[in-house]
Amino acid sequence: MKTFLSLGLIAMFIFLTTGMVYSSDTEKVDKAKELFEKKCSACHGFKKATSVQKTAEEWDATVQRMKAKRNSNITDEDAKIITEYLSLNYGKKK
């Protein structure tokens, strides 16, 4: 009986923590997408950016170039998040 209860508690713990990680990851991706859309659409439509696939290094160079433009309002942290989002979602397939 104790073994059954222990296994049940372990299973519940795994289920709950896995759900939290997934929820956290989903929220992180949603916030990154929102940041990308907000910052990048200030100067151009985001379809332009998402119509190409680039390596992480190429996305970083692009985001850094956009960040350097006058009135970009893209912080270093924003650039990091946007680059990661673009690399994961619009990166070159190997």
Side-chain angles (χ1 to χ4, degrees):
M1 183 69 170
K2 285 184 180 182
T3 304
F4 181 73
L5 183 59
S6 295
L7 289 175
L9 290 173
I10 292 170
M12 185 184 307
F13 175 76
I14 291 170
F15 174 76
L16 291 174
T17 56
T18 304
M20 285 184 226
V21 170
Y22 175 77
S23 176
S24 175
D25 288 347
T26 301
E27 288 174 15
K28 183 178 177 183
V29 170
D30 290 346
K31 288 183 183 211
K33 180 180 179 187
E34 183 180 317
L35 179 67
F36 159 70
E37 290 175 352
K38 178 181 177 186
K39 298 291 183 169
C40 299
S41 68
C43 296
H44 54 78
F46 45 81
K47 285 194 181 231
K48 179 179 180 178
T50 59
S51 66
V52 296
Q53 292 182 337
K54 299 182 180 188
T55 65
E57 294 79 17
E58 291 168 330
W59 277 124
D60 184 51
T62 299
V63 172
Q64 292 302 320
R65 190 175 70 248
M66 297 301 125
K67 178 180 173 277
K69 293 186 180 268
R70 175 181 273 164
N71 299 323
S72 75
N73 295 319
I74 298 173
T75 66
D76 290 341
E77 184 63 22
D78 292 343
K80 180 181 171 188
I81 293 167
I82 291 168
T83 298
E84 184 177 309
Y85 170 77
L86 291 170
S87 297
L88 289 172
N89 293 283
Y90 303 98
K92 283 187 178 174
K93 307 294 184 230
K94 297 188 184 211

